[in-house]
Amino acid sequence: MKMALWVLIAAVVLLGGYIRFSPSDTARWHVAAQGADKDMRNGVVRVVNTGPNGLAKLDAIATDAPRTRVLAGSVPEGMVTYITRSKVFGFPDYTTVQQDGDELRVYARSRFGRRDFGVNQDRVSGWLALLQP
Protein backbone atom coordinates (compact mmCIF):
# COMPACT_ATOMS: atom_id res chain seq x y z
CA MET A 1 0.00 0.00 0.00
CA LYS A 2 2.80 2.42 0.91
CA MET A 3 4.61 1.58 -2.33
CA ALA A 4 1.52 2.43 -4.40
CA LEU A 5 1.20 5.76 -2.59
CA TRP A 6 4.85 6.62 -3.31
CA VAL A 7 4.43 5.66 -6.97
CA LEU A 8 1.35 7.89 -7.18
CA ILE A 9 3.18 10.80 -5.55
CA ALA A 10 6.15 10.35 -7.90
CA ALA A 11 3.81 10.28 -10.92
CA VAL A 12 2.11 13.50 -9.83
CA VAL A 13 5.46 15.24 -9.28
CA LEU A 14 6.77 14.09 -12.67
CA LEU A 15 3.59 15.19 -14.45
CA GLY A 16 3.73 18.56 -12.69
CA GLY A 17 7.36 18.97 -13.74
CA TYR A 18 6.52 18.11 -17.33
CA ILE A 19 3.65 20.61 -17.41
CA ARG A 20 5.69 23.41 -15.86
CA PHE A 21 9.06 22.88 -17.54
CA SER A 22 8.39 21.43 -20.99
CA PRO A 23 9.65 23.77 -23.72
CA SER A 24 7.25 25.74 -25.90
CA ASP A 25 7.73 25.30 -29.65
CA THR A 26 7.43 28.80 -31.09
CA ALA A 27 6.75 27.42 -34.57
CA ARG A 28 3.62 25.73 -33.19
CA TRP A 29 2.32 28.49 -30.93
CA HIS A 30 3.41 31.75 -32.61
CA VAL A 31 0.71 31.68 -35.31
CA ALA A 32 -1.86 34.30 -36.24
CA ALA A 33 -5.60 33.88 -35.79
CA GLN A 34 -7.59 32.85 -38.83
CA GLY A 35 -11.16 33.99 -39.46
CA ALA A 36 -13.60 35.94 -37.34
CA ASP A 37 -14.68 35.76 -33.68
CA LYS A 38 -14.91 32.17 -32.56
CA ASP A 39 -15.40 30.34 -29.27
CA MET A 40 -13.70 26.95 -29.04
CA ARG A 41 -13.58 24.28 -26.35
CA ASN A 42 -10.02 25.18 -25.47
CA GLY A 43 -9.73 28.79 -26.59
CA VAL A 44 -11.10 31.82 -28.34
CA VAL A 45 -10.51 34.06 -31.36
CA ARG A 46 -11.45 37.73 -31.20
CA VAL A 47 -11.10 40.39 -33.90
CA VAL A 48 -11.58 43.97 -32.71
CA ASN A 49 -11.14 47.38 -34.26
CA THR A 50 -8.56 49.20 -32.14
CA GLY A 51 -6.87 51.54 -34.58
CA PRO A 52 -3.27 51.18 -35.69
CA ASN A 53 -1.71 51.14 -32.21
CA GLY A 54 -3.90 48.47 -30.61
CA LEU A 55 -1.06 45.97 -30.35
CA ALA A 56 1.16 48.39 -28.44
CA LYS A 57 -1.67 49.10 -25.99
CA LEU A 58 -2.53 45.43 -25.53
CA ASP A 59 1.15 44.56 -25.11
CA ALA A 60 1.34 46.88 -22.10
CA ILE A 61 -1.76 45.21 -20.63
CA ALA A 62 -0.57 41.65 -21.30
CA THR A 63 2.97 42.10 -20.00
CA ASP A 64 1.52 43.57 -16.81
CA ALA A 65 -0.79 40.55 -16.31
CA PRO A 66 0.15 38.04 -13.62
CA ARG A 67 2.17 34.98 -14.69
CA THR A 68 2.36 36.24 -18.31
CA ARG A 69 5.49 36.68 -20.39
CA VAL A 70 6.36 37.09 -24.07
CA LEU A 71 7.06 33.80 -25.83
CA ALA A 72 7.82 35.18 -29.31
CA GLY A 73 7.46 38.25 -31.49
CA SER A 74 7.31 41.95 -30.68
CA VAL A 75 5.21 45.03 -31.22
CA PRO A 76 7.46 46.31 -34.07
CA GLU A 77 7.08 42.92 -35.80
CA GLY A 78 3.30 43.30 -35.61
CA MET A 79 2.64 40.04 -33.77
CA VAL A 80 3.35 38.85 -30.21
CA THR A 81 2.63 35.51 -28.54
CA TYR A 82 2.31 35.46 -24.76
CA ILE A 83 2.40 32.48 -22.44
CA THR A 84 0.27 32.70 -19.31
CA ARG A 85 0.54 30.01 -16.65
CA SER A 86 -2.16 29.02 -14.20
CA LYS A 87 -1.49 29.95 -10.60
CA VAL A 88 -1.47 26.55 -8.92
CA PHE A 89 -0.36 23.94 -11.46
CA GLY A 90 1.38 26.15 -14.02
CA PHE A 91 -0.67 25.03 -17.03
CA PRO A 92 0.43 27.12 -20.04
CA ASP A 93 -2.02 29.04 -22.22
CA TYR A 94 -0.85 30.80 -25.38
CA THR A 95 -2.26 34.09 -26.65
CA THR A 96 -1.16 35.39 -30.03
CA VAL A 97 -2.03 39.00 -30.85
CA GLN A 98 -1.55 40.39 -34.35
CA GLN A 99 -2.06 43.93 -35.64
CA ASP A 100 -3.78 43.80 -39.04
CA GLY A 101 -4.35 47.40 -40.13
CA ASP A 102 -6.83 48.86 -37.67
CA GLU A 103 -7.87 45.41 -36.46
CA LEU A 104 -6.37 43.43 -33.64
CA ARG A 105 -6.56 39.63 -34.02
CA VAL A 106 -6.37 37.75 -30.71
CA TYR A 107 -6.01 33.96 -30.62
CA ALA A 108 -5.89 32.36 -27.16
CA ARG A 109 -5.72 28.62 -26.53
CA SER A 110 -4.61 26.08 -23.98
CA ARG A 111 -1.83 23.58 -24.48
CA PHE A 112 -3.03 20.72 -22.32
CA GLY A 113 -6.51 19.24 -22.15
CA ARG A 114 -9.53 19.35 -24.40
CA ARG A 115 -11.28 22.16 -22.52
CA ASP A 116 -10.12 25.30 -20.80
CA PHE A 117 -13.37 25.99 -18.89
CA GLY A 118 -13.52 29.56 -20.25
CA VAL A 119 -10.15 30.64 -18.85
CA ASN A 120 -8.84 31.96 -22.17
CA GLN A 121 -12.11 33.71 -23.00
CA ASP A 122 -12.13 35.40 -19.59
CA ARG A 123 -8.50 36.54 -19.92
CA VAL A 124 -8.98 37.89 -23.46
CA SER A 125 -12.23 39.63 -22.49
CA GLY A 126 -10.48 41.24 -19.53
CA TRP A 127 -7.55 42.42 -21.63
CA LEU A 128 -9.83 43.81 -24.35
CA ALA A 129 -12.01 45.57 -21.75
CA LEU A 130 -8.91 47.41 -20.53
CA LEU A 131 -8.36 48.72 -24.08
CA GLN A 132 -11.64 50.63 -23.97
CA PRO A 133 -11.33 54.37 -23.21
Side-chain angles (χ1 to χ4, degrees):
M1 187 69 154
K2 281 187 179 183
M3 181 60 127
L5 179 61
W6 283 112
V7 168
L8 179 63
I9 290 170
V12 168
V13 167
L14 287 173
L15 180 61
Y18 175 74
I19 289 169
R20 189 164 290 274
F21 298 113
S22 61
S24 298
D25 180 6
T26 56
R28 178 178 179 193
W29 298 107
H30 189 56
V31 294
Q34 301 297 317
D37 286 4
K38 182 177 180 182
D39 293 331
M40 302 168 288
R41 291 177 64 165
N42 70 336
V44 64
V45 173
R46 292 291 180 259
V47 180
V48 294
N49 191 327
T50 61
N53 61 348
L55 180 57
K57 290 178 182 178
L58 192 69
D59 180 68
I61 293 166
T63 55
D64 195 41
R67 299 173 310 281
T68 300
R69 66 176 178 81
V70 173
L71 176 68
S74 68
V75 173
E77 290 175 25
M79 187 165 83
V80 184
T81 297
Y82 307 93
I83 181 170
T84 304
R85 293 196 173 269
S86 64
K87 189 173 187 176
V88 177
F89 294 108
F91 286 107
D93 290 330
Y94 300 91
T95 306
T96 302
V97 183
Q98 178 188 32
Q99 187 76 52
D100 185 13
D102 285 346
E103 289 185 335
L104 200 60
R105 298 183 167 279
V106 183
Y107 178 28
R109 64 268 189 217
S110 58
R111 177 173 179 174
F112 296 106
R114 294 182 187 159
R115 298 191 65 184
D116 72 352
F117 302 99
V119 171
N120 284 295
Q121 182 176 353
D122 291 346
R123 181 176 48 258
V124 169
S125 295
W127 288 359
L128 293 177
L130 291 172
L131 279 179
Q132 302 305 318

mmCIF file of all heavy atoms in Angstrom, residues 7-24:
data_model
loop_
_atom_site.group_PDB
_atom_site.id
_atom_site.type_symbol
_atom_site.label_atom_id
_atom_site.label_comp_id
_atom_site.label_asym_id
_atom_site.label_seq_id
_atom_site.Cartn_x
_atom_site.Cartn_y
_atom_site.Cartn_z
ATOM 1 N N VAL A 7 4.456 5.646 -5.501
ATOM 2 C CA VAL A 7 4.432 5.660 -6.965
ATOM 3 C C VAL A 7 3.476 6.744 -7.457
ATOM 4 O O VAL A 7 3.783 7.479 -8.393
ATOM 5 C CB VAL A 7 4.052 4.265 -7.519
ATOM 6 C CG1 VAL A 7 3.734 4.329 -9.009
ATOM 7 C CG2 VAL A 7 5.161 3.267 -7.246
ATOM 8 N N LEU A 8 2.324 6.862 -6.821
ATOM 9 C CA LEU A 8 1.353 7.891 -7.185
ATOM 10 C C LEU A 8 1.928 9.285 -6.960
ATOM 11 O O LEU A 8 1.807 10.168 -7.818
ATOM 12 C CB LEU A 8 0.056 7.715 -6.387
ATOM 13 C CG LEU A 8 -1.031 8.745 -6.653
ATOM 14 C CD1 LEU A 8 -1.500 8.663 -8.109
ATOM 15 C CD2 LEU A 8 -2.194 8.552 -5.706
ATOM 16 N N ILE A 9 2.576 9.496 -5.842
ATOM 17 C CA ILE A 9 3.185 10.796 -5.547
ATOM 18 C C ILE A 9 4.263 11.121 -6.580
ATOM 19 O O ILE A 9 4.331 12.246 -7.102
ATOM 20 C CB ILE A 9 3.757 10.827 -4.112
ATOM 21 C CG1 ILE A 9 2.609 10.830 -3.095
ATOM 22 C CG2 ILE A 9 4.658 12.047 -3.909
ATOM 23 C CD1 ILE A 9 3.054 10.624 -1.663
ATOM 24 N N ALA A 10 5.098 10.144 -6.901
ATOM 25 C CA ALA A 10 6.152 10.353 -7.898
ATOM 26 C C ALA A 10 5.552 10.698 -9.261
ATOM 27 O O ALA A 10 6.058 11.576 -9.971
ATOM 28 C CB ALA A 10 7.037 9.118 -7.999
ATOM 29 N N ALA A 11 4.466 10.015 -9.643
ATOM 30 C CA ALA A 11 3.812 10.280 -10.924
ATOM 31 C C ALA A 11 3.264 11.700 -10.972
ATOM 32 O O ALA A 11 3.399 12.392 -11.991
ATOM 33 C CB ALA A 11 2.699 9.264 -11.177
ATOM 34 N N VAL A 12 2.656 12.154 -9.895
ATOM 35 C CA VAL A 12 2.108 13.503 -9.826
ATOM 36 C C VAL A 12 3.230 14.538 -9.925
ATOM 37 O O VAL A 12 3.118 15.536 -10.648
ATOM 38 C CB VAL A 12 1.272 13.708 -8.542
ATOM 39 C CG1 VAL A 12 0.941 15.169 -8.308
ATOM 40 C CG2 VAL A 12 0.002 12.876 -8.606
ATOM 41 N N VAL A 13 4.330 14.312 -9.241
ATOM 42 C CA VAL A 13 5.463 15.236 -9.280
ATOM 43 C C VAL A 13 6.059 15.285 -10.686
ATOM 44 O O VAL A 13 6.353 16.360 -11.213
ATOM 45 C CB VAL A 13 6.528 14.845 -8.229
ATOM 46 C CG1 VAL A 13 7.834 15.589 -8.455
ATOM 47 C CG2 VAL A 13 6.003 15.090 -6.826
ATOM 48 N N LEU A 14 6.228 14.130 -11.316
ATOM 49 C CA LEU A 14 6.772 14.089 -12.672
ATOM 50 C C LEU A 14 5.849 14.780 -13.668
ATOM 51 O O LEU A 14 6.312 15.534 -14.535
ATOM 52 C CB LEU A 14 7.026 12.646 -13.102
ATOM 53 C CG LEU A 14 8.221 11.960 -12.435
ATOM 54 C CD1 LEU A 14 8.271 10.484 -12.817
ATOM 55 C CD2 LEU A 14 9.509 12.662 -12.807
ATOM 56 N N LEU A 15 4.555 14.538 -13.562
ATOM 57 C CA LEU A 15 3.593 15.193 -14.449
ATOM 58 C C LEU A 15 3.615 16.707 -14.245
ATOM 59 O O LEU A 15 3.618 17.476 -15.207
ATOM 60 C CB LEU A 15 2.181 14.647 -14.229
ATOM 61 C CG LEU A 15 1.080 15.249 -15.103
ATOM 62 C CD1 LEU A 15 1.364 14.979 -16.580
ATOM 63 C CD2 LEU A 15 -0.276 14.695 -14.701
ATOM 64 N N GLY A 16 3.657 17.128 -12.990
ATOM 65 C CA GLY A 16 3.730 18.559 -12.692
ATOM 66 C C GLY A 16 4.993 19.187 -13.261
ATOM 67 O O GLY A 16 4.967 20.291 -13.800
ATOM 68 N N GLY A 17 6.111 18.480 -13.166
ATOM 69 C CA GLY A 17 7.365 18.974 -13.739
ATOM 70 C C GLY A 17 7.282 19.075 -15.249
ATOM 71 O O GLY A 17 7.765 20.042 -15.847
ATOM 72 N N TYR A 18 6.666 18.079 -15.874
ATOM 73 C CA TYR A 18 6.517 18.112 -17.328
ATOM 74 C C TYR A 18 5.659 19.305 -17.752
ATOM 75 O O TYR A 18 6.008 20.029 -18.683
ATOM 76 C CB TYR A 18 5.901 16.813 -17.836
ATOM 77 C CG TYR A 18 5.611 16.841 -19.309
ATOM 78 C CD1 TYR A 18 6.640 16.747 -20.233
ATOM 79 C CD2 TYR A 18 4.314 17.013 -19.784
ATOM 80 C CE1 TYR A 18 6.398 16.803 -21.598
ATOM 81 C CE2 TYR A 18 4.053 17.073 -21.139
ATOM 82 C CZ TYR A 18 5.092 16.959 -22.040
ATOM 83 O OH TYR A 18 4.838 17.034 -23.388
ATOM 84 N N ILE A 19 4.552 19.510 -17.068
ATOM 85 C CA ILE A 19 3.646 20.608 -17.407
ATOM 86 C C ILE A 19 4.351 21.952 -17.240
ATOM 87 O O ILE A 19 4.262 22.829 -18.083
ATOM 88 C CB ILE A 19 2.368 20.555 -16.543
ATOM 89 C CG1 ILE A 19 1.513 19.373 -16.986
ATOM 90 C CG2 ILE A 19 1.592 21.862 -16.605
ATOM 91 C CD1 ILE A 19 0.366 19.055 -16.055
ATOM 92 N N ARG A 20 5.079 22.117 -16.161
ATOM 93 C CA ARG A 20 5.685 23.412 -15.860
ATOM 94 C C ARG A 20 6.961 23.688 -16.654
ATOM 95 O O ARG A 20 7.233 24.830 -17.013
ATOM 96 C CB ARG A 20 5.991 23.516 -14.363
ATOM 97 C CG ARG A 20 6.414 24.909 -13.972
ATOM 98 C CD ARG A 20 6.358 25.149 -12.496
ATOM 99 N NE ARG A 20 5.049 25.214 -11.925
ATOM 100 C CZ ARG A 20 4.298 26.305 -11.855
ATOM 101 N NH1 ARG A 20 4.703 27.416 -12.391
ATOM 102 N NH2 ARG A 20 3.132 26.263 -11.254
ATOM 103 N N PHE A 21 7.741 22.644 -16.963
ATOM 104 C CA PHE A 21 9.058 22.885 -17.537
ATOM 105 C C PHE A 21 9.231 22.425 -18.986
ATOM 106 O O PHE A 21 10.298 22.632 -19.553
ATOM 107 C CB PHE A 21 10.134 22.236 -16.664
ATOM 108 C CG PHE A 21 10.171 22.806 -15.276
ATOM 109 C CD1 PHE A 21 9.815 22.031 -14.191
ATOM 110 C CD2 PHE A 21 10.530 24.124 -15.057
ATOM 111 C CE1 PHE A 21 9.840 22.551 -12.902
ATOM 112 C CE2 PHE A 21 10.554 24.656 -13.782
ATOM 113 C CZ PHE A 21 10.208 23.864 -12.696
ATOM 114 N N SER A 22 8.217 21.852 -19.594
ATOM 115 C CA SER A 22 8.387 21.433 -20.987
ATOM 116 C C SER A 22 8.527 22.661 -21.879
ATOM 117 O O SER A 22 7.850 23.674 -21.688
ATOM 118 C CB SER A 22 7.218 20.559 -21.440
ATOM 119 O OG SER A 22 6.009 21.266 -21.357
ATOM 120 N N PRO A 23 9.417 22.597 -22.861
ATOM 121 C CA PRO A 23 9.648 23.766 -23.719
ATOM 122 C C PRO A 23 8.450 24.062 -24.621
ATOM 123 O O PRO A 23 7.675 23.162 -24.951
ATOM 124 C CB PRO A 23 10.872 23.376 -24.539
ATOM 125 C CG PRO A 23 10.918 21.899 -24.489
ATOM 126 C CD PRO A 23 10.261 21.468 -23.218
ATOM 127 N N SER A 24 8.317 25.308 -24.998
ATOM 128 C CA SER A 24 7.248 25.742 -25.897
ATOM 129 C C SER A 24 7.822 25.925 -27.297
ATOM 130 O O SER A 24 8.754 26.708 -27.485
ATOM 131 C CB SER A 24 6.638 27.061 -25.417
ATOM 132 O OG SER A 24 6.056 26.901 -24.153
#
